mmCIF file with all atom_site columns, all heavy atoms in Angstrom:
data_model
loop_
_atom_site.group_PDB
_atom_site.id
_atom_site.type_symbol
_atom_site.label_atom_id
_atom_site.label_alt_id
_atom_site.label_comp_id
_atom_site.label_asym_id
_atom_site.label_entity_id
_atom_site.label_seq_id
_atom_site.pdbx_PDB_ins_code
_atom_site.Cartn_x
_atom_site.Cartn_y
_atom_site.Cartn_z
_atom_site.occupancy
_atom_site.B_iso_or_equiv
_atom_site.pdbx_formal_charge
_atom_site.auth_seq_id
_atom_site.auth_comp_id
_atom_site.auth_asym_id
_atom_site.auth_atom_id
_atom_site.pdbx_PDB_model_num
ATOM 1  N N   . TRP A 1 15  ? 2.602   15.216  -13.730 1.00 0.00 ? 17  TRP A N   1
ATOM 2  C CA  . TRP A 1 15  ? 1.681   15.917  -14.496 1.00 0.00 ? 17  TRP A CA  1
ATOM 3  C C   . TRP A 1 15  ? 1.597   17.365  -14.230 1.00 0.00 ? 17  TRP A C   1
ATOM 4  O O   . TRP A 1 15  ? 1.357   18.281  -15.099 1.00 0.00 ? 17  TRP A O   1
ATOM 5  C CB  . TRP A 1 15  ? 0.348   15.220  -14.275 1.00 0.00 ? 17  TRP A CB  1
ATOM 6  C CG  . TRP A 1 15  ? 0.149   13.988  -15.072 1.00 0.00 ? 17  TRP A CG  1
ATOM 7  C CD1 . TRP A 1 15  ? 0.203   12.720  -14.677 1.00 0.00 ? 17  TRP A CD1 1
ATOM 8  C CD2 . TRP A 1 15  ? -0.180  13.973  -16.496 1.00 0.00 ? 17  TRP A CD2 1
ATOM 9  N NE1 . TRP A 1 15  ? 0.153   11.890  -15.739 1.00 0.00 ? 17  TRP A NE1 1
ATOM 10 C CE2 . TRP A 1 15  ? -0.171  12.558  -16.893 1.00 0.00 ? 17  TRP A CE2 1
ATOM 11 C CE3 . TRP A 1 15  ? -0.282  14.939  -17.555 1.00 0.00 ? 17  TRP A CE3 1
ATOM 12 C CZ2 . TRP A 1 15  ? -0.464  12.153  -18.152 1.00 0.00 ? 17  TRP A CZ2 1
ATOM 13 C CZ3 . TRP A 1 15  ? -0.497  14.486  -18.761 1.00 0.00 ? 17  TRP A CZ3 1
ATOM 14 C CH2 . TRP A 1 15  ? -0.692  13.215  -19.056 1.00 0.00 ? 17  TRP A CH2 1
ATOM 15 N N   . ALA A 1 37  ? 4.055   45.304  -31.091 1.00 0.00 ? 39  ALA A N   1
ATOM 16 C CA  . ALA A 1 37  ? 2.770   46.046  -31.480 1.00 0.00 ? 39  ALA A CA  1
ATOM 17 C C   . ALA A 1 37  ? 3.096   47.184  -32.472 1.00 0.00 ? 39  ALA A C   1
ATOM 18 O O   . ALA A 1 37  ? 4.095   47.927  -32.057 1.00 0.00 ? 39  ALA A O   1
ATOM 19 C CB  . ALA A 1 37  ? 1.958   46.545  -30.316 1.00 0.00 ? 39  ALA A CB  1
ATOM 20 N N   . ALA A 1 54  ? -3.844  85.961  -40.914 1.00 0.00 ? 56  ALA A N   1
ATOM 21 C CA  . ALA A 1 54  ? -4.076  86.400  -39.576 1.00 0.00 ? 56  ALA A CA  1
ATOM 22 C C   . ALA A 1 54  ? -5.508  86.457  -39.269 1.00 0.00 ? 56  ALA A C   1
ATOM 23 O O   . ALA A 1 54  ? -5.985  86.219  -38.195 1.00 0.00 ? 56  ALA A O   1
ATOM 24 C CB  . ALA A 1 54  ? -3.297  87.667  -39.294 1.00 0.00 ? 56  ALA A CB  1
ATOM 25 N N   . ARG A 1 100 ? -13.381 72.763  -52.734 1.00 0.00 ? 102 ARG A N   1
ATOM 26 C CA  . ARG A 1 100 ? -12.355 71.863  -52.735 1.00 0.00 ? 102 ARG A CA  1
ATOM 27 C C   . ARG A 1 100 ? -11.820 71.795  -54.201 1.00 0.00 ? 102 ARG A C   1
ATOM 28 O O   . ARG A 1 100 ? -12.553 71.461  -55.095 1.00 0.00 ? 102 ARG A O   1
ATOM 29 C CB  . ARG A 1 100 ? -12.726 70.494  -52.213 1.00 0.00 ? 102 ARG A CB  1
ATOM 30 C CG  . ARG A 1 100 ? -11.777 69.456  -52.396 1.00 0.00 ? 102 ARG A CG  1
ATOM 31 C CD  . ARG A 1 100 ? -10.863 69.260  -51.315 1.00 0.00 ? 102 ARG A CD  1
ATOM 32 N NE  . ARG A 1 100 ? -10.347 68.035  -51.240 1.00 0.00 ? 102 ARG A NE  1
ATOM 33 C CZ  . ARG A 1 100 ? -9.262  67.499  -52.004 1.00 0.00 ? 102 ARG A CZ  1
ATOM 34 N NH1 . ARG A 1 100 ? -8.573  68.341  -52.856 1.00 0.00 ? 102 ARG A NH1 1
ATOM 35 N NH2 . ARG A 1 100 ? -8.853  66.262  -51.680 1.00 0.00 ? 102 ARG A NH2 1
ATOM 36 N N   . SER A 1 106 ? -12.533 71.618  -59.850 1.00 0.00 ? 108 SER A N   1
ATOM 37 C CA  . SER A 1 106 ? -13.253 71.404  -58.603 1.00 0.00 ? 108 SER A CA  1
ATOM 38 C C   . SER A 1 106 ? -13.434 69.872  -58.281 1.00 0.00 ? 108 SER A C   1
ATOM 39 O O   . SER A 1 106 ? -13.680 69.085  -59.108 1.00 0.00 ? 108 SER A O   1
ATOM 40 C CB  . SER A 1 106 ? -14.743 72.125  -58.658 1.00 0.00 ? 108 SER A CB  1
ATOM 41 O OG  . SER A 1 106 ? -15.293 71.986  -57.527 1.00 0.00 ? 108 SER A OG  1
ATOM 42 N N   . THR A 1 129 ? -1.259  59.278  -53.078 1.00 0.00 ? 131 THR A N   1
ATOM 43 C CA  . THR A 1 129 ? -1.102  58.123  -52.267 1.00 0.00 ? 131 THR A CA  1
ATOM 44 C C   . THR A 1 129 ? -0.115  58.382  -51.229 1.00 0.00 ? 131 THR A C   1
ATOM 45 O O   . THR A 1 129 ? 0.929   58.936  -51.493 1.00 0.00 ? 131 THR A O   1
ATOM 46 C CB  . THR A 1 129 ? -0.685  56.919  -53.130 1.00 0.00 ? 131 THR A CB  1
ATOM 47 O OG1 . THR A 1 129 ? -1.520  56.671  -54.195 1.00 0.00 ? 131 THR A OG1 1
ATOM 48 C CG2 . THR A 1 129 ? -0.578  55.767  -52.138 1.00 0.00 ? 131 THR A CG2 1
ATOM 49 N N   . MET A 1 155 ? -11.852 75.882  -38.411 1.00 0.00 ? 157 MET A N   1
ATOM 50 C CA  . MET A 1 155 ? -11.653 74.840  -39.620 1.00 0.00 ? 157 MET A CA  1
ATOM 51 C C   . MET A 1 155 ? -10.813 73.677  -38.988 1.00 0.00 ? 157 MET A C   1
ATOM 52 O O   . MET A 1 155 ? -9.755  73.843  -38.342 1.00 0.00 ? 157 MET A O   1
ATOM 53 C CB  . MET A 1 155 ? -10.912 75.512  -40.684 1.00 0.00 ? 157 MET A CB  1
ATOM 54 C CG  . MET A 1 155 ? -11.386 76.912  -41.155 1.00 0.00 ? 157 MET A CG  1
ATOM 55 S SD  . MET A 1 155 ? -10.417 77.670  -42.417 1.00 0.00 ? 157 MET A SD  1
ATOM 56 C CE  . MET A 1 155 ? -10.477 76.421  -43.736 1.00 0.00 ? 157 MET A CE  1
ATOM 57 N N   . ASP A 1 161 ? -8.447  57.111  -43.925 1.00 0.00 ? 163 ASP A N   1
ATOM 58 C CA  . ASP A 1 161 ? -8.004  56.034  -44.872 1.00 0.00 ? 163 ASP A CA  1
ATOM 59 C C   . ASP A 1 161 ? -9.401  55.485  -45.504 1.00 0.00 ? 163 ASP A C   1
ATOM 60 O O   . ASP A 1 161 ? -10.437 55.906  -45.290 1.00 0.00 ? 163 ASP A O   1
ATOM 61 C CB  . ASP A 1 161 ? -7.383  54.859  -44.018 1.00 0.00 ? 163 ASP A CB  1
ATOM 62 C CG  . ASP A 1 161 ? -8.240  54.221  -43.004 1.00 0.00 ? 163 ASP A CG  1
ATOM 63 O OD1 . ASP A 1 161 ? -9.365  54.514  -43.054 1.00 0.00 ? 163 ASP A OD1 1
ATOM 64 O OD2 . ASP A 1 161 ? -7.703  53.262  -42.429 1.00 0.00 ? 163 ASP A OD2 1
ATOM 65 N N   . THR A 1 205 ? -44.985 125.896 -55.077 1.00 0.00 ? 207 THR A N   1
ATOM 66 C CA  . THR A 1 205 ? -44.818 127.317 -55.315 1.00 0.00 ? 207 THR A CA  1
ATOM 67 C C   . THR A 1 205 ? -45.535 127.806 -56.600 1.00 0.00 ? 207 THR A C   1
ATOM 68 O O   . THR A 1 205 ? -46.357 128.828 -56.520 1.00 0.00 ? 207 THR A O   1
ATOM 69 C CB  . THR A 1 205 ? -43.312 127.786 -55.469 1.00 0.00 ? 207 THR A CB  1
ATOM 70 O OG1 . THR A 1 205 ? -42.656 127.317 -54.319 1.00 0.00 ? 207 THR A OG1 1
ATOM 71 C CG2 . THR A 1 205 ? -43.248 129.202 -55.546 1.00 0.00 ? 207 THR A CG2 1
ATOM 72 N N   . ALA A 1 230 ? -63.384 157.173 -47.229 1.00 0.00 ? 232 ALA A N   1
ATOM 73 C CA  . ALA A 1 230 ? -61.970 157.265 -47.405 1.00 0.00 ? 232 ALA A CA  1
ATOM 74 C C   . ALA A 1 230 ? -61.543 158.448 -48.163 1.00 0.00 ? 232 ALA A C   1
ATOM 75 O O   . ALA A 1 230 ? -60.455 158.951 -47.997 1.00 0.00 ? 232 ALA A O   1
ATOM 76 C CB  . ALA A 1 230 ? -61.524 155.927 -48.078 1.00 0.00 ? 232 ALA A CB  1
ATOM 77 N N   . GLY A 1 233 ? -64.784 161.969 -46.509 1.00 0.00 ? 235 GLY A N   1
ATOM 78 C CA  . GLY A 1 233 ? -65.357 161.883 -45.215 1.00 0.00 ? 235 GLY A CA  1
ATOM 79 C C   . GLY A 1 233 ? -66.834 162.178 -45.219 1.00 0.00 ? 235 GLY A C   1
ATOM 80 O O   . GLY A 1 233 ? -67.454 162.638 -44.501 1.00 0.00 ? 235 GLY A O   1
ATOM 81 N N   . LEU A 1 247 ? -84.866 167.056 -53.355 1.00 0.00 ? 249 LEU A N   1
ATOM 82 C CA  . LEU A 1 247 ? -86.341 167.179 -53.262 1.00 0.00 ? 249 LEU A CA  1
ATOM 83 C C   . LEU A 1 247 ? -86.876 168.733 -53.438 1.00 0.00 ? 249 LEU A C   1
ATOM 84 O O   . LEU A 1 247 ? -87.942 169.017 -54.036 1.00 0.00 ? 249 LEU A O   1
ATOM 85 C CB  . LEU A 1 247 ? -86.806 166.645 -51.972 1.00 0.00 ? 249 LEU A CB  1
ATOM 86 C CG  . LEU A 1 247 ? -86.774 165.142 -51.810 1.00 0.00 ? 249 LEU A CG  1
ATOM 87 C CD1 . LEU A 1 247 ? -87.037 164.680 -50.441 1.00 0.00 ? 249 LEU A CD1 1
ATOM 88 C CD2 . LEU A 1 247 ? -87.477 164.468 -52.772 1.00 0.00 ? 249 LEU A CD2 1
#
Side-chain angles (χ1 to χ4, degrees):
W17 277 106
R102 168 90 154 86
S108 181
T131 303
M157 307 172 63
D163 64 1
T207 306
L249 293 176

